[in-house]
Amino acid sequence: MIDHITFGVSDFSRSVAFYDQAFAPLGVSRLWTVPPEQTGGVKVTGYGDDRPWFWLAGEEATTGKLHIALTASDRASVDAFYTAALLAGGQDNGAPGLRPHYHPDYYGAFVLDPDGHNIEAVCHNPAL
C-alpha cells in the first residue's frame, strides 16, 4: 500500500492551480503547504482527503512516464474530474468511459497534467 507520493513539477504555481481544480470533484484538496524555510527554499504542497498523500515539489521536475490513478466514488465523479481537469488546462488522454479490457465495471478518464503526466480517475463500481 502506498502512503504518499511526491514528484517534482516544472512550474509550481501552474501545477497547483491545475490540481486544485482537477482534484476537487474527487474530494481531494490542498491540505498543507510547507513553508519554504523548512524545505531549503523548495515550494512543497500536499493534497489529500483526510491527510496529505499527494505531494508536489517545485524543483527537479519528474521526467519520464508517470501514471497516477485516483479512486472515484462514482462514475459522475470521474466525469466531473475529467471536465474540471480539461478546464484547468489539462489535455485529454482518454475520455470517461468503460475500459472492459481491465474489468467489466472499470470506468475511467485520463488527462495529462501541465507536465504531461497521465492522471486518471477511476470508479470500479457498476453503474447504478
Side-chain angles (χ1 to χ4, degrees), residues 1-6 47 51-55:
M1 173 184 276
I2 296 173
D3 183 74
H4 64 278
I5 184 170
T6 303
Y47 291 82
R51 63 176 182 77
W53 44 261
F54 183 93
W55 293 86

Side-chain angles (χ1 to χ4, degrees), residues 62-78:
T62 301
T63 60
K65 293 187 177 200
L66 180 65
H67 175 200
I68 299 169
L70 297 144
T71 302
S73 58
D74 53 43
R75 294 178 182 192
S77 295
V78 172

